[in-house]
Amino acid sequence: MEKILKSIPRGIIKEDDLFNFIEDFPALLWRIDIIQNKIEYLNSHQIEGLGPESGLILKNIDFSQKLILKEDAHLLSQFMQAVRRGETAATIFRIKNGKGRIIWIKVTGTVNRKNPRYYLGYMLDVTDTVGIVQDILENETGADVMIEQIDHPVILIDTYDKTILAHNKAAKELFGHPAEDFSKLNFYNLFHPRAKAYINQIYDETFFKNYWHGNLTFQRMKKPPFRGSVVIRKIYFRGIRVFQLSIYDVVVEEKSFQKSPVLSEKNQGFHDPVRENYVAQLTSRLKHESDMSNILKALLDNQYGHMNFDFIIYSDVYKKKNKVIVYTASKFPSSVKQGEVFSYEGTIAQNADRYNMDHLIVEDTFSSIKAIDWALFIPLGLRSYFAKPFFNRRVMRTVLVLCSTQKNMFFDKHVSDYALLYTPFLLGLTNWRKAGRNKKK
């Protein structure tokens, strides 16, 4: 507590006054160190019926599971996921305190902008005011959640983990997924690969502006893709924020669309002879190369268009073994050893796999909360990067990362340039793996 008080600039408020304000504030104030997964409580406020054990709700999973109502358990879980991602978040859930009384608890928090490893928040008993909140939500959103009465396809998506919470009959018939499989999908699974490059931008715009409208291409199970006019709105459903995705004017794509080279990851962005020649030459250069250092160095030294990277990383991913093995090439001296091992937890691979990302762009590593950014990228002076995951039989085994010492160097609009590296890299990767297997024999 004293360390926090000392970090407050003098002249804004006296230290004693600030201490008294924090101590008297009618909520339990806390700070989480995201990197160390440690929580500190900044005052001694207590929730009715819990006394000095109030802080255990956030600190001890076993303790909170005994108190929180089962139907509300996912709300606290989603909030803690948002905390780990460094997202501003808030939620309300119910607990049964030591006196058997139902208490409504609100938790809210946000990342510390000056030091993003810390997440600040508070926990508050809102039992007395929850009735007012319920009336507002029922009046404002009652019509929005009656999706089964809507003729066009409607899907409700969790804004935190992007999973599908509900869908109507029209959506089920359009996408062709059985009901039990539909609930296992997430926001990214719905869209065709050619649309995925823009999905993060659309998601962010909807989250902050509450609304998005445009045309998108979707993929389906055992059926041709289709295009549709899409409206995405942020609403409330079962007491949590969700995206309501509505689809109109459906047009099924021709079969030839599925075979178009534009959709092939290996050929993505190859629309003119110059680009095709670049890929052909780089592929030829790596045709017989099996040393990963040389493969990455060839990509680094032969860039095209808006690639603009001065450090490149190949991550060999072993999720079940909780490890990622890293190989690099750099335009400047690097302390990273070839084959250095990092924990899978907190890596780009985990983040991309969890949310089924087609790619990931970090504009400024200093604003990130991923452990790997603080363990690897920031110590090397890397300020921004573009990461592309690759899957083998639906399992992520590979991540290619283009890095820059300057922030804001990678953009969605230049993904087609970065994609020119995929074919040469994957060829070199195949050679490298084959050489490794032969060496073991």
Side-chain angles (χ1 to χ4, degrees):
M1 181 65 178
E2 292 182 0
K3 292 181 180 179
I4 298 173
L5 290 173
K6 290 180 180 179
S7 68
I8 302 297
R10 295 297 181 267
I12 296 178
I13 186 172
K14 292 182 179 179
E15 187 172 304
D16 289 342
D17 292 338
L18 178 61
F19 182 88
N20 291 332
F21 169 79
I22 292 175
E23 187 59 33
D24 295 338
F25 193 74
L28 183 60
L29 305 177
W30 45 264
R31 181 177 79 163
I32 291 177
D33 185 328
I34 298 173
I35 305 301
Q36 295 185 0
N37 290 316
K38 183 176 69 174
I39 188 168
E40 301 174 273
Y41 293 101
L42 311 182
N43 63 0
S44 55
H45 181 78
Q46 298 180 359
I47 303 296
E48 180 187 350
L50 298 183
E53 295 183 329
S54 299
L56 294 178
I57 292 179
L58 297 180
K59 198 172 187 179
N60 188 319
I61 296 178
D62 292 335
F63 179 82
S64 62
Q65 287 180 342
K66 292 177 182 178
L67 293 182
I68 193 168
L69 301 191
K70 290 183 179 180
E71 55 268 38
D72 290 358
H74 68 286
L75 299 173
L76 179 58
S77 175
Q78 290 166 351
F79 176 80
M80 296 308 296
Q81 290 175 23
V83 172
R84 286 188 284 272
R85 294 193 297 269
E87 298 175 355
T88 298
T91 193
I92 297 176
F93 55 88
R94 293 166 295 172
I95 66 169
K96 182 176 290 187
N97 68 11
K99 298 179 181 179
R101 181 190 174 199
I102 298 297
I103 302 292
W104 289 78
I105 302 293
K106 177 181 179 180
V107 287
T108 188
T110 188
V111 71
N112 186 328
R113 288 181 297 174
K114 292 185 177 180
N115 192 346
R117 72 177 293 167
Y118 292 111
Y119 192 96
L120 308 173
Y122 66 84
M123 181 166 62
L124 176 67
D125 181 345
V126 293
T127 306
D128 294 338
T129 56
V130 73
I132 299 173
V133 176
Q134 287 178 315
D135 288 342
I136 293 174
L137 293 181
E138 288 173 1
N139 291 333
E140 289 187 351
T141 67
D144 290 321
V145 299
M146 302 296 291
I147 61 176
E148 280 302 338
Q149 300 180 24
I150 300 175
D151 294 333
H152 60 264
V154 177
I155 300 171
L156 300 184
I157 301 162
D158 191 309
T159 58
Y160 288 117
D161 61 14
K162 304 176 180 63
T163 55
I164 292 177
L165 296 174
H167 61 281
N168 65 358
K169 182 179 179 181
K172 176 185 174 183
E173 293 176 349
L174 178 61
F175 281 90
H177 293 284
E180 62 273 14
D181 291 341
F182 218 128
S183 62
K184 298 176 183 178
L185 301 177
N186 65 32
F187 187 68
Y188 297 102
N189 296 141
L190 302 175
F191 302 98
H192 198 277
R194 74 173 181 181
K196 287 184 178 179
Y198 308 99
I199 295 307
N200 286 334
Q201 180 180 345
I202 293 170
Y203 187 91
D204 290 344
E205 184 173 337
T206 308
F207 193 89
F208 290 105
K209 296 182 179 180
N210 300 327
Y211 180 88
W212 184 89
H213 175 257
N215 296 306
L216 287 172
T217 302
F218 297 84
Q219 60 186 357
R220 300 191 289 178
M221 186 174 183
K222 299 179 181 180
K223 293 183 179 181
F226 68 88
R227 287 180 287 112
S229 177
V230 178
V231 173
I232 307 176
R233 293 189 297 140
K234 189 165 67 174
I235 66 169
Y236 280 88
F237 175 70
R238 296 173 184 167
I240 61 175
R241 279 184 303 190
V242 303
F243 286 163
Q244 176 181 296
L245 187 152
S246 302
I247 306 173
Y248 309 88
D249 304 324
V250 173
V251 178
V252 177
E253 299 282 3
E254 299 295 332
K255 290 184 178 180
S256 59
F257 173 85
Q258 292 177 285
K259 299 179 180 179
S260 168
V262 178
L263 298 181
S264 170
E265 187 172 83
K266 294 184 178 181
N267 294 308
Q268 184 179 351
F270 309 162
H271 304 308
D272 61 68
V274 176
R275 296 166 73 86
E276 290 178 354
N277 185 57
Y278 166 78
V279 175
Q281 289 189 7
L282 190 52
T283 302
S284 177
R285 184 183 298 247
L286 296 176
K287 185 175 182 180
H288 301 294
E289 181 60 67
S290 60
D291 183 275
M292 184 52 67
S293 297
N294 294 336
I295 294 168
L296 297 177
K297 189 68 165 56
L299 302 182
L300 181 69
D301 293 341
N302 295 274
Q303 300 185 38
Y304 178 93
H306 299 88
M307 291 181 180
N308 297 328
F309 61 96
D310 41 34
F311 196 94
I312 185 169
I313 300 173
Y314 155 56
S315 295
D316 193 14
V317 181
Y318 297 87
K319 179 179 179 179
K320 292 183 178 180
K321 296 181 180 180
N322 191 32
K323 70 177 182 178
V324 173
I325 304 176
V326 168
Y327 301 85
T328 67
S330 173
K331 288 185 177 180
F332 54 86
S334 168
S335 60
V336 180
K337 298 178 182 179
Q338 300 292 12
E340 188 165 346
V341 179
F342 293 86
S343 171
Y344 173 80
E345 188 74 24
T347 61
I348 298 170
Q350 183 191 43
N351 204 41
D353 191 28
R354 178 181 293 168
Y355 304 113
N356 195 34
M357 293 181 177
D358 179 72
H359 66 268
L360 173 67
I361 292 177
V362 170
E363 298 171 344
D364 187 353
T365 53
F366 282 170
S367 65
S368 174
I369 64 164
K370 289 191 297 300
I372 193 66
D373 288 350
W374 293 91
L376 177 61
F377 291 86
I378 291 175
L380 290 173
L382 302 175
R383 294 296 301 275
S384 61
Y385 60 79
F386 167 86
K388 171 63 181 178
F390 296 91
F391 293 80
N392 182 13
R393 297 177 182 176
R394 298 185 179 182
V395 177
M396 181 186 295
R397 281 296 314 277
T398 298
V399 180
L400 183 67
V401 192
L402 313 181
C403 314
S404 174
T405 54
Q406 301 179 51
K407 62 182 181 179
N408 299 312
M409 288 299 291
F410 302 98
F411 303 91
D412 281 319
K413 62 183 179 181
H414 298 319
V415 168
S416 61
D417 280 359
Y418 315 145
L420 299 177
L421 296 172
Y422 299 168
T423 294
F425 168 69
L426 292 174
L427 174 62
L429 178 63
T430 300
N431 295 340
W432 178 76
R433 292 196 187 282
K434 184 177 180 180
R437 289 193 296 268
N438 291 338
K439 188 175 180 180
K440 289 181 179 179
K441 291 180 182 179

